[in-house]
Amino acid sequence: MNSHLPYSKFDRQERLSIWDQSLIEKSCVLIIGIGGTGGEVAKNLSLLGVGKLILVDMDTIEFSNLNRQLLFSKADIGKNKAKIAKKVIKKRYNSTLKIEAYSDPIQSLPYRIFEEADIIAGCVDNFLARQFINEIVIELCLPLIDSATDGYFGQVQSVNPRKNACLACDSPLPPEETRLLSAPCTLVGTPRIKEHCAWKALYEFHTMNDREPDENSPDDVQEITNLANKFATDHQFPLFDTKEIIQLVLYHVPSLITVNAVTSGIQSQEIIKTLFINKMKLFKKKDQKEFKSLIRAQRFRIPDLTIYSALTGNISSFNLINDPDCLVCGNSSIYHQTPVTIDVNPKLKCKTIFTILKRRFKKNYIGFRGNFIIPAEALIESILQDGDRITVSSLDDDKEKRIRIRFNKKNG
Amino acid sequence: MNNRKKDVVWDSNVNSQGTTSDSIERMIKVRFKDPQLPPDQNIREKYININGTVFQAITAARDAFNIPEVVPIALLFKGRRMNPSNNLVSYNIEDNALLMIVPDQIKGG
Ligand SMILES: [Zn+2]
């Protein structure tokens, strides 16, 4: 269509040393979270000419997003973020880009999506999702560039599995997140702590109203408080007041478009640099050597942690080394083991998986996907897809294993 | 359940009190660095009790740079993020060690 133009639209960036547009075009980036930073990263990478983007976000667009999330407009309120972003990026920035959008929670994404990506951009707004992504990148030895913002602060962490620190190294989650750690699994099961009732109530609100609750609406806050108290009463937990509910499930951190733009700019740049390093092997031997000497000469480096403060204007970077005792990336992690492949008939119930495991390992197991408990009575095909991986935990000795599910109609 | 257990390491009792049963005082000089300040102002020397907790070191770092309690901070030592409930001795900190101050608990997206 544009073949009459005298030069490529990437001409200005192709003039840079340490730049190879063909490497970027052969890359696939999985962006998880399409909000303030994720939307910016998606825009940046599409304009930089990345070959394929996979966008994931289960949230819907809210009025309060419009101060900084440029892919969305008022008419999109209530629609899924990933799906709208896909449409807008394709139309506005790059019509030839391959792009997929998923509105599922990350814990229920088909595993092949992670396997297809060359790199993951973590742009989520909570520690639970970060924990899940971190485990996957360690298991697949996939680079992760994770970002986070809070008011005037932004940070970008680069996880290069088995080389530097992962997100779990030396980094216990803050207390309130620890208490909520197993929350999502209880959406289908029994609340084990009081806070789970609040998460169940939020889930119920979504199902009933098909929208996000508004933290500033007394009606919404009261409705969720009532729902949470219904669960709390049923399961004999103390009751909530509205202040507690706001703090637990409705509080949003302050967000600035300027901080989002700087943070996502740093994150996008580190993604491109990591792609250059990891995809350099596609070059001919001679060109690889030349590329490496250029990198050395120009003092190219990918910091492990970069922090931006809009208050002082400083950007500082740090090295982070891995913790050998880290339970996700350390020496005895289950994510370093080759997963056990189990052949199952997808038409059967999930408990079949545990029966097969019991036959093979003589132990009783329960299964997890992130923090979701796999319901034994559900049909396998309604919960899992061919090639998915789950964690099983032995009820006898608490030891965990990673399991790869292979669909086979004859088995089980 | 291993990785889920790991996260229960945070000990709110040690955190909020900043004390442990081992209270023998042995002071060493450390250097706190706040990289958000200009290079000529970003290092402060302080004496801290090596038998204390990381939480106590964080309090000393706040003190050194007047960082209010509402701003969550963490300390990095030789590229490792220090767990507030651990004892300082477990990090083999020696006299004149450099402890980096970084923002903590940033999670928005
Ligand atoms: Zn780790």
Side-chain angles (χ1 to χ4, degrees):
Chain A
M1 184 170 60
N2 294 330
S3 55
H4 62 284
L5 290 172
Y7 50 78
S8 131
K9 85 169 169 186
F10 301 116
D11 174 74
R12 293 303 189 261
Q13 65 205 48
E14 284 175 315
R15 288 163 189 246
L16 287 162
S17 70
I18 321 183
W19 195 272
D20 190 285
Q21 197 62 33
S22 72
L23 284 192
I24 299 178
E25 281 163 11
K26 288 183 192 114
S27 300
C28 170
V29 183
L30 167 58
I31 308 176
I32 305 178
I34 310 297
T37 45
E40 284 284 301
V41 169
K43 178 257 300 173
N44 291 344
L45 296 182
S46 64
L47 284 170
L48 284 162
V50 165
K52 179 167 180 180
L53 294 181
I54 305 174
L55 314 180
V56 178
D57 202 316
M58 65 185 283
D59 283 349
T60 50
I61 297 155
E62 295 173 52
F63 183 60
S64 63
N65 299 145
L66 304 182
N67 76 328
R68 64 197 187 284
Q69 300 182 16
L70 297 185
L71 298 174
F72 311 136
S73 59
K74 233 175 174 171
D76 301 321
I77 289 172
K79 295 178 186 156
N80 175 260
K81 286 187 175 177
K83 302 234 156 117
I84 295 295
K86 172 185 165 178
K87 207 169 84 185
V88 172
I89 285 169
K90 196 119 178 115
K91 192 171 161 205
R92 206 185 283 170
Y93 301 124
N94 188 339
S95 58
T96 58
L97 174 73
K98 286 190 214 120
I99 186 164
E100 289 175 16
Y102 293 87
S103 57
D104 315 64
I106 48 168
Q107 287 92 343
S108 34
L109 280 182
Y111 205 81
R112 59 165 178 79
I113 288 178
F114 299 104
E115 289 172 313
E116 187 185 349
D118 292 302
I119 189 167
I120 295 184
C123 306
V124 298
D125 62 359
N126 64 85
F127 293 116
L128 271 175
R130 277 195 184 86
Q131 183 185 20
F132 181 77
I133 297 166
N134 187 50
E135 289 165 0
I136 300 259
V137 300
I138 298 301
E139 180 163 52
L140 290 176
C141 221
L142 202 61
L144 162 69
I145 311 289
D146 182 76
S147 69
T149 61
D150 189 339
Y152 294 112
F153 293 99
Q155 71 174 34
V156 175
Q157 184 169 344
S158 159
V159 177
N160 192 356
R162 296 164 210 214
K163 301 225 169 70
N164 64 2
C166 81
L167 301 185
C169 279
D170 300 306
S171 191
L173 297 178
E176 74 274 20
E177 295 284 339
T178 304
R179 284 189 284 109
L180 297 175
L181 203 60
S182 303
C185 70
T186 60
L187 297 180
V188 287
T190 309
R192 276 178 279 137
I193 53 172
K194 180 185 166 182
E195 285 80 356
H196 289 169
C197 300
W199 285 95
K200 262 177 110 76
L202 182 66
Y203 181 75
E204 190 94 350
F205 182 95
H206 280 273
T207 315
M208 287 181 345
N209 299 291
D210 202 23
R211 65 174 172 86
E212 292 288 326
D214 177 0
E215 186 187 345
N216 300 311
S217 150
D219 288 348
D220 284 5
V221 174
Q222 195 56 56
E223 187 177 340
I224 294 176
T225 310
N226 294 346
L227 284 167
N229 283 337
K230 184 172 78 70
F231 292 122
T233 311
D234 289 351
H235 298 279
Q236 289 152 14
F237 290 111
L239 298 185
F240 294 93
D241 58 38
T242 50
K243 224 173 111 190
E244 249 178 306
I245 289 293
I246 292 173
Q247 193 61 37
L248 270 171
V249 295
L250 294 174
Y251 178 72
H252 291 96
V253 298
S255 264
L256 270 177
I257 186 170
T258 47
V259 174
N260 280 146
V262 174
T263 308
S264 58
I266 294 170
Q267 185 179 17
S268 308
Q269 190 57 53
E270 298 310 323
I271 288 168
I272 295 294
K273 282 158 68 185
T274 308
L275 285 172
F276 281 151
I277 296 295
N278 288 17
K279 301 221 113 196
M280 200 174 11
K281 53 183 183 282
L282 297 177
F283 285 149
K284 290 193 190 105
K285 275 259 150 50
K286 189 179 131 271
D287 296 336
Q288 272 188 41
K289 224 171 141 187
E290 201 179 309
F291 200 75
K292 278 184 192 160
S293 67
L294 255 179
I295 280 172
R296 264 193 300 272
Q298 304 251 17
R299 302 202 289 178
F300 177 107
R301 68 180 267 272
I302 297 164
D304 299 333
L305 177 68
T306 304
I307 283 164
Y308 168 62
S309 162
L311 290 173
T312 63
N314 269 49
I315 295 177
S316 24
S317 63
F318 309 89
N319 292 333
L320 293 177
I321 60 170
N322 55 318
D323 167 12
D325 296 325
C326 173
L327 288 161
V328 180
C329 78
N331 298 332
S332 54
S333 162
I334 54 163
Y335 299 101
H336 295 331
Q337 296 162 8
T338 313
V340 178
T341 299
I342 299 271
D343 284 297
V344 287
N345 181 342
K347 300 278 175 209
L348 297 177
K349 288 180 177 176
C350 291
K351 63 183 176 193
T352 317
I353 299 169
F354 310 123
T355 312
I356 296 171
L357 286 170
K358 183 163 187 186
R359 223 181 293 147
R360 204 188 288 187
F361 298 107
K362 315 276 179 265
K363 283 181 199 164
N364 296 296
Y365 287 97
I366 48 166
F368 294 92
R369 214 174 181 210
N371 291 285
F372 282 91
I373 288 177
I374 305 220
E377 292 300 324
L379 285 187
I380 293 171
E381 64 182 2
S382 71
I383 302 277
L384 299 167
Q385 297 199 38
D386 191 24
D388 278 358
R389 296 190 198 185
I390 60 170
T391 299
V392 293
S393 180
S394 157
L395 295 166
D396 306 316
D397 60 11
D398 217 21
K399 289 223 172 77
E400 291 189 330
K401 276 185 204 309
R402 287 291 279 171
I403 304 290
R404 187 171 163 273
I405 303 292
R406 190 164 57 193
F407 282 3
N408 184 339
K409 296 236 160 77
K410 286 182 218 127
N411 274 68
Chain B
M1 308 289 284
N2 288 339
N3 51 334
R4 278 167 280 275
K5 257 188 225 151
K6 158 97 174 174
D7 303 304
V8 190
V9 169
W10 191 289
D11 182 341
S12 57
N13 289 330
V14 175
N15 257 348
S16 54
Q17 305 303 322
T19 54
T20 62
S21 53
D22 187 357
S23 57
I24 309 151
E25 296 228 333
R26 187 163 69 83
M27 307 305 276
I28 61 161
K29 188 176 79 186
V30 295
R31 292 170 301 148
F32 290 116
K33 181 170 175 177
D34 184 347
Q36 292 181 28
L37 295 172
D40 57 340
Q41 299 162 28
N42 67 8
I43 292 184
R44 302 254 202 285
E45 290 179 349
K46 269 263 182 189
Y47 281 87
I48 58 169
N49 178 9
I50 192 68
N51 287 326
T53 60
V54 170
F55 182 84
Q56 287 172 307
I58 290 174
T59 308
R62 287 189 187 286
D63 208 38
F65 285 101
N66 284 325
I67 302 169
E69 287 235 15
V70 290
V71 181
I73 57 167
L75 291 174
L76 298 184
F77 176 59
K78 291 188 174 166
R80 300 280 298 266
R81 192 181 284 264
M82 300 170 84
N83 185 335
S85 48
N86 283 359
N87 276 338
L88 278 169
V89 277
S90 64
Y91 290 93
N92 294 320
I93 291 174
E94 287 167 1
D95 210 32
N96 222 25
L98 184 66
L99 305 179
M100 285 291 178
I101 298 169
V102 292
D104 197 22
Q105 294 184 36
I106 298 189
K107 69 168 183 180

